[in-house]
Amino acid sequence: MNIEVVGGGSLGLLLAGSLAAADTGASLTLVVRTLRQAEAISALGITVKDKDGNHPRTAAAACLDFAAYSDGQRRSQGGADWILLALKQKDIGPSIIEAIRRRAGQHTRICCLQNGMGHLEKLRAATGTDRLYAAVTTEGAMRVSDTEVWHTGTGSTRIGAAEEEADPSGTHAALLAEILGHAGLQAVASGNIQADIWDKLIINTVINPLTALLEVRNGRLLDDAHSIELMRRLFEEAESAAAAAGYGRTAGIRWQKLVEVCRATAGNRSSMLQDLTGGRHTELDWLTGALLREAERYGLKLPHHETVYRLVKAKEALRAGNEEGMDMSKIFLS
Ligand code: KPL
């Protein structure tokens, strides 16, 4: 089996490093954005450490940069069996989609590991493939250099075909889950990946913006009555949109899960907080933005999410230094 992992960030390095270090029988290629990272990985391999940066495991891995990947021909066998797309939503642009379209053979399955919504539709429209899968993961990882990643939270991954008819018995999803399992990552085939996507969307649209706005680690949200109340309100609005879309869950299940994730990742700085403090654009448009778009389709208003959306956008602009020289004295003193 040939597997291509596309993306050299935290999740891509964790997947590729774990697969490279294990004896799964699969042949692996990692595809990364820069030539610098590709050369570093080709020379040094990928090192995966535990959550405290201990117990390193280093494994050699074949690595290409995007330019070489885009220029390259399909493998002689007609493309990879699996392309694991581990890029952030914001990095799935026309050039990477075109590269994947050209590289994917007739039998290639593409598994998308992004948070949020919108990417599956984009890829389906652009690649025309029905061999599209989604994976929802709660694995925690932090990239510490071009070649090193820390496995900061042991989670699990659920995998399923975007269109159920494409893999009705879940055979292919189960096969990929088994390979990831051999690599030490807990994974299962999902019978309802769309509901899983909603589960994760709800978690991300509650925890990520609140931690980013309050600048706290995930667990801190549960230590304060006001932030718990905000979580509750955001949660209820998001759950109402999921129910309208046909993916509601029995009362309490998702709230319980949300609290569990908050506790299990208590020491984490959410990806949105990390992006904001790093001066990068967040995934807000594919998380809260996607939720608001879904709600609109069903005629729902989500006022707390709308407020949170604008607050994070405003904070993003400030952090990126986009105030465009606004002189506050003119506003307050005129
Ligand atoms: O997925 C996450 C993220 O940070 O994006 C959570 C589950 C909130 C863990 O930090």
Side-chain angles (χ1 to χ4, degrees):
M1 159 136 358
N2 292 321
I3 300 179
E4 291 173 355
V5 175
V6 178
S10 321
L11 188 57
L13 284 179
L14 177 68
L15 288 169
S18 306
L19 286 164
D23 190 11
T24 63
S27 126
L28 171 83
T29 306
L30 173 62
V31 182
V32 298
R33 177 171 300 281
T34 63
L35 182 59
R36 185 200 64 200
Q37 188 180 11
E39 284 176 349
I41 289 173
S42 301
L44 304 172
I46 305 170
T47 300
V48 181
K49 294 185 176 172
D50 69 13
K51 65 178 173 37
D52 301 313
N54 297 321
H55 303 110
R57 279 182 312 151
T58 300
C63 192
L64 294 176
D65 70 328
F66 280 165
Y69 183 68
S70 310
D71 287 349
Q73 298 303 308
R74 282 179 198 156
R75 290 176 195 246
S76 51
Q77 301 93 324
D81 296 290
W82 282 98
I83 294 177
L84 309 186
L85 194 54
L87 292 168
K88 291 209 169 178
Q89 287 263 11
K90 58 181 158 55
D91 296 324
I92 307 182
S95 57
I96 191 66
I97 291 180
E98 175 54 19
I100 286 171
R101 196 186 64 73
R102 291 198 319 106
R103 295 280 304 207
Q106 290 294 313
H107 66 282
T108 304
R109 293 185 161 74
I110 303 170
C111 182
C112 299
L113 288 116
Q114 288 66 39
N115 276 336
M117 284 181 176
H119 54 298
L120 290 171
E121 293 67 24
K122 195 158 69 175
L123 277 158
R124 192 181 298 113
T127 62
T129 184
D130 60 352
R131 291 165 184 263
L132 211 50
Y133 287 67
V136 174
T137 185
T138 54
E139 294 290 356
M142 188 172 77
R143 173 182 139 149
V144 287
S145 74
D146 278 351
T147 62
E148 184 179 322
V149 63
W150 292 8
H151 194 178
T152 50
T154 307
S156 62
T157 303
R158 301 179 66 81
I159 304 164
E163 312 290 348
E164 245 173 73
E165 314 81 66
D167 190 2
S169 51
T171 316
H172 297 284
L175 201 60
L176 179 59
E178 199 181 315
I179 291 172
L180 292 178
H182 286 314
L185 301 169
Q186 198 198 313
V188 290
S190 164
N192 191 350
I193 196 70
Q194 294 300 337
D196 297 327
I197 291 174
W198 271 100
D199 288 350
K200 187 78 195 295
L201 184 74
I202 291 178
I203 288 169
N204 287 132
T205 55
V206 175
I207 298 180
N208 295 32
L210 286 182
T211 49
L213 289 168
L214 296 170
E215 299 184 3
V216 293
R217 290 179 194 265
N218 298 355
R220 184 70 178 80
L221 293 179
L222 297 174
D223 292 344
D224 174 76
H226 295 291
S227 55
I228 293 178
E229 185 55 30
L230 279 170
M231 285 176 74
R232 178 58 88 174
R233 291 182 190 201
L234 289 171
F235 167 78
E236 279 166 6
E237 286 183 2
E239 180 64 56
S240 72
Y247 295 104
R249 293 265 196 214
T250 321
I253 298 244
R254 279 194 176 120
W255 174 255
Q256 215 176 312
K257 179 88 190 141
L258 173 64
V259 172
E260 270 168 28
V261 170
C262 228
R263 287 209 181 102
T265 63
N268 276 26
R269 289 153 52 82
S270 73
S271 52
M272 196 172 284
L273 175 58
Q274 289 184 44
D275 282 342
L276 264 183
T277 46
R280 296 181 293 274
H281 272 287
T282 69
E283 293 192 288
L284 186 74
D285 283 317
W286 295 276
L287 300 175
T288 309
L291 176 67
L292 290 169
R293 288 190 292 278
E294 278 294 305
E296 203 178 335
R297 284 176 53 187
Y298 301 100
L300 293 177
K301 285 255 168 242
L302 312 183
H304 289 89
H305 283 278
E306 271 184 47
T307 303
V308 152
Y309 179 87
R310 290 186 194 289
L311 283 169
V312 175
K313 279 282 171 197
K315 194 159 179 164
E316 246 181 24
L318 285 172
R319 280 288 160 94
N322 286 347
E323 301 109 306
E324 285 166 4
M326 190 187 285
D327 181 355
M328 299 306 277
S329 64
K330 292 217 174 74
I331 296 174
F332 293 114
L333 303 178
S334 59

